Amino acid sequence: MASDDTHEVFNQVDEPCQQAPLQHDAALLHAVQQDHASWALPSLQDYAQRVTSPATWQWAQLANTHAPRLQAFDARGRRTNTVHYHPCWHALLTLYREQGLVGLPYENTRAGRWTAWAAGFYLHGQVEQGSLCPATMTTAAIGVLRHETALWPHIKAGLLSRHFDAQDRPWPDKQALWVGMGMTEKQGGSDVRANTTQAVPDGASGRGQAYRLTGHKWFFSAPMSDAHLVVAQTPDAGPACFWVPRWQPDGTRNAVHLLQLKDKVGNRSNASSEVEFHGAYGLLLGEPGRGIPTIIEMATTTRLCCVLGSSAILRQALVQALHHAQRRQAFGKPLVQQPLMRSVLADLTLESEAATMLAMRLASAFEACEGADPAPAERAWKRLMTPAAKFWVCKRAVEVAGEAMEVLGGNGYVEPAVVARLFREAPVNSIWEGSGNIMCLDMLRALGREPEGSQALLAHLMDAAGEDSHLLTELHALQALLHRPPAEQELLARLIAQKLVLVAQACLLRRHAPSWVADAFIATRIVHGSARVVGAIDARTLDVAALLERALPA
């Protein structure tokens, strides 16, 4: 009798699940311990096991396969503006919320709280990125909303809650709240001052007062959030920032009309919408005319989240590539033993560890800047290095995700491969909250406004460089660039950002990583430059075996 089997399946590698993302990530572990967050290790270990369980990987796949859908009206024609999600989306948000990560940087007073939060965010981002969008915006919004003395007491419990509440009802009746943001308009993009949405007082004007908003937003993230922070033009003072809830105080739906959901390249588990405001109710946050600085306070934190999210993509792409190469046979031996593949994998390990160290260092700077008089170097790490890091690390994630896909070959290019989802996810962190050019220009603004901070940062890096001649030479070259005329700096802004991030990563590795890791990074990024493809390095002088074993024990 003929068999239905036409072939035997062998030399195929299943994707890793039930990983050990905390124990095997040397850079992450060091950062948690170095930044006084060891108290969080038991909780982080528990979360690492849950977020990389087979069930969570399945949730991630299903939530991205079954994208949200818009139901603008009910069966009788009443506008509901409802977005329906797959149940796995709610499961992912429940997982994150129950861990207490949304409010951790603000409700916990222990040293290392920002590092503990960043570590949890980074662990979650290795499995599913879309659910980090509402988490990012809510955490960032807390930093702004806690200054609103009239509003904050009423929303504090809901924002800091560890419950997940998916009900669509007025926020005072809910156990937990999510907050989104709405800045982007079709004619302006990153040019928020070009926004045309109008806000007029609904009675008295000023901070904490009600306004009515009319206009349009081209991108409106996480539209089922309980409220959004929205930038609109006021009659006399210019751009202002508003708390725009989904429901009005009288219990009726707010006049925020969802027009469509965006059909995005990635981030498909999360809904992004286009909306119109038809006299929508909103409360003025901050002072009239100070809408841009108010929303930038929120955006600074979301940019840190972009760096963390991209670092998570870099790490998971590396794990997927290494796991595959350790088990896949080619030309008579495992891929991981093939010389050229070892160069690629070693390069990926350096990229990932440097990104993780930089992202966690930024998180510690955010905590250091919460005091009344932060050190100039810490302010520079937060205000100057964050946009530069977002520029560089988010772009590296795009290239590395593509390289990891290539390590897996055709199996990485088909659905539902994890690396395929990472590849689709990677560009959003580069685009959202300011594209590459905007980040470089923002870095230059920080340099111009706080020159003493940049000098303090360079002094800090020189101290970390020690006696490393290559790093000291690069730092002096960077210092010279920072003294060029403003017009010339703008022309060279991408080069300056790249140099700043690479030398910062190298100094962090020199101070906190084994010498052979720092030596390898400096040799491949500083001495021989960085304009190259992944793996185009001279691996003869590197301890490749040690690098690969450090990244993911076989």
Side-chain angles (χ1 to χ4, degrees):
M1 180 180 294
S3 171
D4 290 335
D5 293 332
T6 60
H7 64 277
E8 177 186 358
V9 177
F10 67 99
N11 198 29
Q12 286 286 334
V13 181
D14 292 327
E15 290 173 313
C17 65
Q18 202 67 43
Q19 303 170 8
L22 188 58
Q23 301 98 306
H24 290 167
D25 194 331
L28 179 63
L29 267 177
H30 177 85
V32 171
Q33 294 164 345
Q34 169 76 20
D35 296 334
H36 313 292
S38 294
W39 53 267
L41 279 173
S43 176
L44 288 170
Q45 179 57 49
D46 176 67
Y47 194 62
Q49 291 176 347
R50 287 189 293 141
V51 82
T52 58
S53 70
T56 310
W57 282 108
Q58 183 74 357
W59 295 345
Q61 178 190 328
L62 290 172
N64 282 274
T65 301
H66 302 282
R69 59 183 180 85
L70 172 63
Q71 181 186 349
F73 302 91
D74 68 11
R76 297 295 177 265
R78 290 179 288 264
R79 181 172 279 278
T80 62
N81 298 305
T82 301
V83 178
H84 296 284
Y85 295 85
H86 191 274
C88 289
W89 166 261
H90 298 300
L92 288 161
L93 289 180
T94 300
L95 185 71
Y96 190 91
R97 195 107 208 193
E98 288 179 345
Q99 186 66 16
L101 291 168
V102 170
L104 179 58
Y106 299 104
E107 66 174 336
N108 194 305
T109 58
R110 300 183 70 170
R113 57 191 176 278
W114 277 85
T115 296
W117 160 79
F121 186 100
Y122 168 92
L123 290 168
H124 189 102
Q126 292 184 49
V127 178
E128 213 286 312
Q129 292 260 327
S131 48
L132 290 180
C133 181
T136 289
M137 294 187 295
T138 304
T139 297
I142 291 172
V144 173
L145 293 168
R146 61 182 177 158
H147 301 308
E148 300 302 315
T149 55
L151 178 63
W152 177 245
H154 303 288
I155 61 177
K156 176 180 178 181
L159 290 174
L160 301 181
S161 174
R162 290 182 175 233
H163 297 284
F164 175 71
D165 187 346
Q167 297 179 92
D168 184 15
R169 57 193 304 183
W171 61 261
D173 301 329
K174 295 190 64 175
Q175 281 189 300
L177 305 178
W178 296 101
V179 180
M181 65 193 306
M183 290 194 293
T184 306
E185 297 186 4
K186 55 183 177 291
Q187 80 287 341
S190 296
D191 186 4
V192 180
R193 293 190 181 278
N195 283 5
T196 61
T197 297
Q198 300 294 312
V200 296
D202 191 19
S205 62
R207 187 171 193 163
Q209 298 298 324
Y211 283 66
R212 292 290 170 175
L213 279 67
T214 301
H216 174 273
K217 294 295 178 181
W218 189 238
F219 278 93
F220 198 67
S221 298
M224 288 300 288
S225 297
D226 300 286
H228 284 75
L229 300 195
V230 175
V231 175
Q233 301 283 354
T234 55
D236 302 319
C241 185
F242 296 87
W243 162 270
V244 181
R246 185 166 166 79
W247 294 77
Q248 299 187 97
D250 63 4
T252 61
R253 294 182 185 276
N254 206 356
V256 181
H257 295 176
L258 272 62
L259 304 182
Q260 65 168 328
L261 300 186
K262 301 292 188 177
D263 188 7
K264 298 170 292 184
V265 171
N267 210 245
R268 298 187 69 83
S269 65
N270 173 52
S272 298
S273 62
E274 180 185 347
V275 303
E276 287 181 345
F277 303 123
H278 293 265
Y281 167 88
L283 293 177
L284 178 63
L285 304 178
E287 299 302 326
R290 297 289 296 168
I292 304 300
T294 300
I295 206 71
I296 286 297
E297 182 181 349
M298 179 179 179
T300 302
T301 304
T302 57
R303 289 169 180 176
L304 168 63
C305 292
C306 289
V307 180
L308 286 163
S310 291
S311 299
I313 289 174
L314 285 163
R315 175 61 188 173
Q316 188 55 226
L318 169 64
V319 169
Q320 294 289 328
L322 263 175
H323 174 89
H324 180 85
Q326 289 166 348
R327 292 159 179 80
R328 175 80 167 180
Q329 296 282 326
F331 309 109
K333 55 185 176 182
L335 275 174
V336 75
Q337 293 180 15
Q338 303 286 354
L340 191 53
M341 179 60 75
R342 290 173 70 79
S343 292
V344 171
L345 294 172
D347 211 5
L348 293 179
T349 68
L350 293 170
E351 198 72 53
S352 174
E353 179 154 352
T356 301
M357 279 204 170
L358 178 60
M360 300 304 288
R361 177 62 182 87
L362 291 176
S364 71
F366 273 63
E367 182 170 323
C369 288
E370 285 193 326
D373 189 23
E378 295 299 327
R379 280 186 53 83
W381 272 104
K382 178 182 178 180
R383 184 62 190 88
L384 192 159
M385 191 68 76
T386 297
K390 182 185 179 301
F391 162 74
W392 181 252
V393 174
C394 295
K395 290 191 179 299
R396 299 304 298 155
V398 177
E399 180 175 353
V400 166
E403 197 68 51
M405 183 187 291
E406 190 171 326
V407 172
L408 273 69
N411 285 346
Y413 191 66
V414 297
E415 301 292 357
V418 170
V419 290
R421 188 167 74 248
L422 295 175
F423 185 73
R424 290 195 307 273
E425 291 287 357
V428 71
N429 287 326
S430 230
I431 296 169
W432 188 51
E433 295 296 24
S435 59
N437 283 355
I438 295 297
M439 290 301 96
C440 292
L441 294 175
D442 192 43
M443 173 199 69
L444 291 184
R445 278 193 292 271
L447 284 168
R449 289 173 180 171
E450 299 185 33
E452 70 284 355
S454 63
Q455 293 306 310
L457 176 61
L458 286 174
H460 190 263
L461 293 175
M462 285 183 179
D463 180 61
E467 298 180 358
D468 190 303
S469 60
H470 297 301
L471 290 184
L472 293 175
T473 298
E474 191 71 4
L475 281 163
H476 288 303
L478 178 61
Q479 192 168 33
L481 283 173
L482 297 182
H483 283 92
R484 303 304 303 167
E488 192 173 328
Q489 283 188 352
E490 183 170 339
L491 182 66
L492 301 172
R494 286 194 171 213
L495 177 63
I496 294 171
Q498 174 181 295
K499 282 182 171 291
L500 178 62
V501 173
L502 286 173
V503 76
Q505 289 178 322
C507 288
L508 288 170
L509 291 170
R510 175 60 73 212
R511 172 163 284 184
H512 299 294
S515 60
W516 42 269
V517 175
D519 290 343
F521 186 88
I522 292 166
T524 55
R525 271 74 173 167
I526 304 297
V527 178
H528 298 297
S530 58
R532 53 175 179 74
V533 297
V534 172
I537 60 176
D538 184 353
R540 294 172 298 176
T541 61
L542 311 183
D543 192 342
V544 174
L547 287 170
L548 300 186
E549 179 67 16
R550 176 175 170 83
L552 187 68

